[in-house]
């Protein structure tokens, strides 16, 4: 056993109940997002390194320590995408999508890759479902984006969430904030961690995101963005908060002035939904406004806001609401009728019915297998049934058995399938 190749650390195989759970989360999420006018987009899972390296922030952990970068056979530097926003922004610019639609509302779903230390809820390949809304600078849009996230959690019946929200102001506010922070941290630099001392040179705001124990007290007393926020930025944020408070439970909305998020492209609104029962990795959905990203990538100035949701993380607290369609098992009285059983299975599937064909063993073995596979019914037949065209249909939970024509069986099973999908 020991020399069987194992999956890469921080990755996992998705199958069985967990597979169904994640697909169900995606299905329900898509339903909600379509109500908000979002349309799907898929971008490649690998990109030119430059899509991310500069645009996510050169001093962020993601760019510094977590990207899977490699050179292809042509010598080009590529990377597995660590997130979706920069990829979607690239696609929007490549296809001039903004000129065709404003606002442009896109959602995506797929694997992302970060070389992080694996633990419960944190993986090296994880799945994100994200939305991006581009073209409008309006607090209504920020609020609508956040409400879409909230409605999605509600649709998934997740109740123990809280929203942490902050503003990062506009470019001018951040410049002032940066100067203020630089002065403050310079005064405490000897007590900062080595990593934060490095950040002080390049990007002092990143120190606020430090997880190092020795930095925490200094961070706690650091100046706040609210000290420098312009009136316009403040009233933008107040408007976002007002709308959220009228549409969501205000007791679950916390303004967290320390929230900076792990990516540098944010301005104004930044937020995270946390699910309290999840433990250390409890941020299930995070995002914010990023008005500078598309111009930084060589495009026009396009205001934008969005979020990403960790599907695998969310799945840890999601209880499946829907039962899978239970199959019907086709069971011939003996092996010589197997070909006919096969034909019946094809016929029923053609009518949209889920069918399990039990391929081997005597009748009682096949019935046991059907029960193990969670079949709802067994359709049983022998030579006599074929002659009379009346088949035995056994309801496996109750043991109730009836004799029916094939047309009636199809009608009955189709009615059941429609009910269980409602
Ligand atoms: P992010 O906060 O880096 O933002 O990731 C969004 C979500 O992805 C997190 O809240 C978390 O649920 C999940 N996530 C992140 N890393 C991992 C991991 N290693 N394992 C499992 N789940 C993880 C972004 O990526 C931005 N692109 C979001 C955004 C979209 N901002 C604007 N538009």
């Amino acid at each position: 056993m020991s020399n069987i190749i194992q999956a890469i650390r921080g990755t996992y195989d998705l199958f069985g109940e967990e597979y169904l759970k994640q697909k169900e989360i995606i299905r329900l999420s898509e339903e909600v997002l379509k109500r908000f006018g979002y349309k799907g987009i898929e971008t490649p899972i690998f990109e030119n390194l430059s899509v991310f390296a500069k645009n996510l922030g050169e001093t962020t952990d993601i760019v510094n320590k977590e990207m899977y970068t490699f050179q292809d056979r042509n010598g080009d530097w590529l990377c597995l995408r660590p997130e979706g926003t920069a990829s979607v922004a690239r696609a929007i610019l490549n296809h001039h999508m903004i000129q065709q639609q404003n606002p442009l509302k896109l959602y995506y779903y797929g694997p992302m890759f970060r070389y992080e230390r694996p633990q419960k809820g944190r993986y090296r390949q994880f799945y994100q479902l994200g939305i991006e809304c581009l073209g409008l600078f309006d607090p209504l849009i920020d609020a609508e984006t956040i409400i879409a996230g909230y409605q999605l959690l509600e649709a998934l019946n997740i109740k123990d969430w809280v929203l942490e929200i902050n503003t990062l102001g506009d470019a001018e506010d951040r410049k002032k904030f940066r100067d203020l922070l630089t002065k403050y941290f310079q005064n405490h630099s000897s007590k900062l961690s080595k990593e934060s001392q490095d950040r002080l040179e390049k990007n002092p705001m990143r120190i606020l995101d430090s997880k190092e124990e020795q930095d925490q007290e200094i961070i706690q007393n650091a100046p706040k963005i609210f000290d420098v926020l312009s009136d316009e930025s403040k009233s933008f944020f107040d408007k976002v908060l007002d709308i959220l408070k009228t549409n969501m439970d205000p007791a679950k909305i916390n303004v967290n002035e320390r929230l900076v998020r792990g990516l540098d492209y944010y301005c104004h609104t930044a937020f995270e939904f946390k699910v309290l029962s999840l433990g250390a990795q409890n941020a299930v959905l995070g995002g914010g406004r990023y008005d500078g990203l598309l111009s930084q990538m060589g495009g026009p100035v396009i205001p934008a806001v969005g979020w990403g949701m960790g599907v695998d993380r969310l799945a840890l607290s999601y209880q499946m609401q829907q039962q899978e369609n239970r199959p019907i098992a086709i069971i011939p009285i003996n092996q010589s009728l197997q070909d006919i059983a096969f034909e019946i299975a094809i016929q029923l599937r053609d009518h949209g019915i889920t069918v399990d064909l039990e391929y081997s063993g005597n009748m009682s073995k096949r019935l046991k297998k059907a029960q193990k596979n969670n079949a709802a019914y067994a359709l049983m037949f022998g030579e006599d049934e074929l002659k009379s065209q009346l088949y035995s249909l056994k309801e496996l939970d109750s043991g109730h058995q009836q004799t029916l024509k094939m047309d009636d069986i199809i009608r009955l099973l189709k009615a059941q399938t429609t009910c269980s999908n409602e």
Side-chain angles (χ1 to χ4, degrees), residues 38 85 103-106 108 130-146 236 240 265-271 286-291 294 302-308:
Y38 283 88
T85 309
L104 177 65
K105 289 178 162 184
L106 298 173
Y108 51 90
I131 67 172
E132 313 296 351
C133 177
L134 298 105
L136 292 178
F137 179 73
D138 185 334
L140 270 178
I141 293 290
D142 299 46
E144 189 192 73
T145 314
I146 296 170
F236 187 98
V240 176
Y265 50 59
Y266 292 114
C267 60
H268 292 287
T269 321
F271 61 90
R289 181 162 275 284
Y290 53 96
D291 295 342
L294 281 93
I302 299 170
V305 56
W307 50 249

Side-chain angles (χ1 to χ4, degrees), residues 62 82-85 108 114 116 121-124 126 128 131-132 261 263 265-266 272 283-288 290 305-310 312-313:
I62 295 182
E83 61 109 52
T85 309
Y108 51 90
R114 295 183 193 175
E116 292 194 84
R122 190 162 73 193
Y123 313 98
R124 289 183 174 168
F126 60 98
Q128 243 187 31
I131 67 172
E132 313 296 351
R261 307 223 350 100
L263 297 148
Y265 50 59
Y266 292 114
E272 268 170 18
V284 292
L285 190 154
Y290 53 96
V305 56
W307 50 249
M309 173 178 94
D312 356 42
R313 200 171 279 187

Side-chain angles (χ1 to χ4, degrees), residues 258-297:
R258 292 286 166 227
L259 183 75
V260 282
R261 307 223 350 100
L263 297 148
D264 277 354
Y265 50 59
Y266 292 114
C267 60
H268 292 287
T269 321
F271 61 90
E272 268 170 18
F273 280 94
K274 295 191 163 158
V275 169
L276 298 173
S277 53
L278 272 182
Q281 300 304 318
N282 66 359
V284 292
L285 190 154
R289 181 162 275 284
Y290 53 96
D291 295 342
L293 180 64
L294 281 93
S295 55
Q296 189 183 332
M297 291 176 79

Side-chain angles (χ1 to χ4, degrees), residues 41-43 47 86-97:
I41 182 169
E42 255 180 53
T43 57
E47 295 270 0
S87 301
V88 170
R90 182 215 31 84
I92 289 168
L93 294 175
N94 289 170
H95 303 287
H96 312 286
M97 284 186 224

